[in-house]
Amino acid sequence: MVDEYLLRPVGWVSSPLTEAASAPRQGDEGAPEAWLVFDPQAERALRDVQVGADLLVLTWLDRARRDVLAVRPRGDESRPETGVFSTRSPHRPNPIGLHRVRVRALDGTRVRVADLEALDGTPILDVKPVLGAADER
């Protein structure tokens, strides 16, 4: 069994959100529009992305703690402690963020999106389309 894997970011987030304390907890809770800025080598991978598309963006939550196994959801001390695999907490053994966004604009290797709560500078690991029942990609 392999103990480690090497992930290479394909880009990063450019967002007005700079502090976790002031960022919404989920993208649909008032996140500002942001840019996904891709490495020029990823340009071919973006060629079929279209304005209006819904995407799943996987990020590396580089400012999250990796030693957390249980949390009180949303930091609410009145709620019972819950294992992180049952929460959306950014603090977890492998802090991979999963964000559903909508494409607003395209500009070369930059993609403007809505509903992204990731902080400015967050590394992007991958992007995948949101598939509907009729999609067979």
Side-chain angles (χ1 to χ4, degrees):
M1 182 167 146
V2 177
D3 300 48
E4 274 185 53
Y5 298 90
L6 177 62
L7 298 173
R8 291 188 181 94
V10 294
W12 65 92
V13 172
S14 177
S15 171
L17 298 174
T18 59
E19 299 290 330
S22 61
R25 294 188 184 268
Q26 298 298 320
D28 63 357
E29 295 178 351
E33 288 193 357
W35 287 96
L36 307 178
V37 181
F38 291 90
D39 186 288
Q41 294 177 352
E43 186 170 15
R44 282 184 63 201
L46 292 167
R47 73 176 174 202
D48 297 309
V49 172
Q50 298 178 356
V51 171
D54 287 334
L55 302 175
L56 294 174
V57 179
L58 286 84
T59 60
W60 185 261
L61 303 174
D62 57 320
R63 285 156 267 197
R65 289 180 45 197
R66 296 187 70 180
D67 62 342
V68 175
L69 298 177
V71 296
R72 297 197 185 273
R74 294 186 168 261
D76 183 348
E77 292 299 318
S78 70
R79 295 175 77 175
E81 188 173 81
T82 304
V84 294
F85 295 156
S86 295
T87 75
R88 295 287 309 239
S89 172
H91 307 293
R92 53 199 322 111
N94 287 307
I96 296 172
L98 178 64
H99 318 269
R100 184 176 179 153
V101 301
R102 171 136 317 151
V103 177
R104 296 288 191 215
L106 300 166
D107 180 22
T109 57
R110 296 170 12 112
V111 179
R112 187 145 181 97
V113 297
D115 297 334
L116 181 61
E117 79 283 10
L119 300 178
D120 187 59
T122 298
I124 300 168
L125 299 178
D126 204 352
V127 176
K128 296 179 182 255
V130 172
L131 299 179
D135 290 311
E136 296 180 17
R137 287 182 238 188

